[in-house]
Amino acid sequence: CGREKEADSLAARLDKAITDLGAITRRSKSRRRVFFCVWPQPLLTIGKSSFLNHAVTICGGTNIASSLNTPYPHFTIEKLLLADPDVVILPHEARGQKMLKRFPWTALRASKTKRLYFLPPASEDALSRPTPRIIDGLYWLSQRIHPELEAELKNWRAQWKAPDTDQERGG
């Protein structure tokens, strides 16, 4: 649409923001194991070829399903129990579901340490779609994986505030 220069500038800015975030999260002493639940019934997660796998890695986590090649594979509850993740990310729609208050979900380390998190509603979810707002989503995810990095993450977020997409479109 004739805005290559602006697009190249935005892409370079986003790449730099992501690189800087990775540098912060790599300073953490731990690489928390993360289960990103795309849908709880049937249980779907993110595999190696999902962009969300890359997001988890940038944010300093290790996706427990990263050995699976498909982007959004089915996952068994048995595998989830064996992996016993430190952090679980769930879809907003799973909020309030009774199954999360029962075994096997209650047996997970993430549940016992109160590290089960729900994505924001779709209208506010900046993580699930790779747009310039991904910076907001990466900040959200990094806070949940590495709360001990709160001050550094806030400074990063202030520096790399996601661009206003309406303004980018000239609106």
Side-chain angles (χ1 to χ4, degrees):
C1 61
R3 299 194 61 186
E4 291 84 13
K5 187 175 181 179
E6 293 95 334
D8 288 344
S9 175
L10 177 58
R13 183 174 149 81
L14 291 172
D15 284 345
K16 175 86 168 96
I18 290 168
T19 298
D20 289 354
L21 176 59
I24 291 168
T25 59
R26 277 191 302 277
R27 287 194 289 265
S28 176
K29 293 180 176 156
S30 66
R31 279 296 283 172
R32 294 197 174 91
R33 292 180 343 269
V34 177
F35 178 69
F36 197 108
C37 178
V38 175
W39 200 251
Q41 293 180 324
L43 192 56
L44 298 174
T45 191
I46 57 171
K48 180 180 1 184
S49 60
S50 167
F51 83 92
L52 288 168
N53 179 65
H54 188 54
V56 167
T57 303
I58 289 166
C59 294
T62 301
N63 174 13
I64 66 167
S66 65
S67 64
L68 302 174
N69 290 322
T70 55
Y72 302 100
H74 287 267
F75 205 73
T76 67
I77 202 73
E78 293 82 7
K79 285 182 185 177
L80 181 59
L81 279 167
L82 286 172
D84 199 16
D86 302 302
V87 176
V88 172
I89 306 297
L90 294 150
H92 177 76
E93 296 80 4
R95 189 179 293 274
Q97 287 193 9
K98 292 179 184 173
M99 61 167 218
L100 297 174
K101 297 189 185 316
R102 296 190 304 253
F103 182 84
W105 290 93
T106 55
L108 297 175
R109 175 179 297 130
S111 184
K112 291 175 185 175
T113 59
K114 300 190 184 326
R115 304 212 53 205
L116 259 76
Y117 301 104
F118 297 90
L119 288 168
S123 62
E124 299 169 27
D125 178 8
L127 184 64
S128 298
R129 288 171 299 285
T131 70
R133 289 182 46 209
I134 194 77
I135 297 300
D136 294 327
L138 294 173
Y139 173 67
W140 181 91
L141 185 59
S142 296
Q143 287 180 305
R144 275 120 190 112
I145 296 174
H146 289 292
E148 75 281 5
L149 297 175
E150 181 180 1
E152 290 178 82
L153 292 170
K154 279 185 179 180
N155 288 338
W156 171 83
R157 174 64 182 87
Q159 179 182 3
W160 296 108
K161 183 168 180 352
D164 180 350
T165 53
D166 287 337
Q167 190 174 22
E168 288 171 8
R169 289 189 298 258

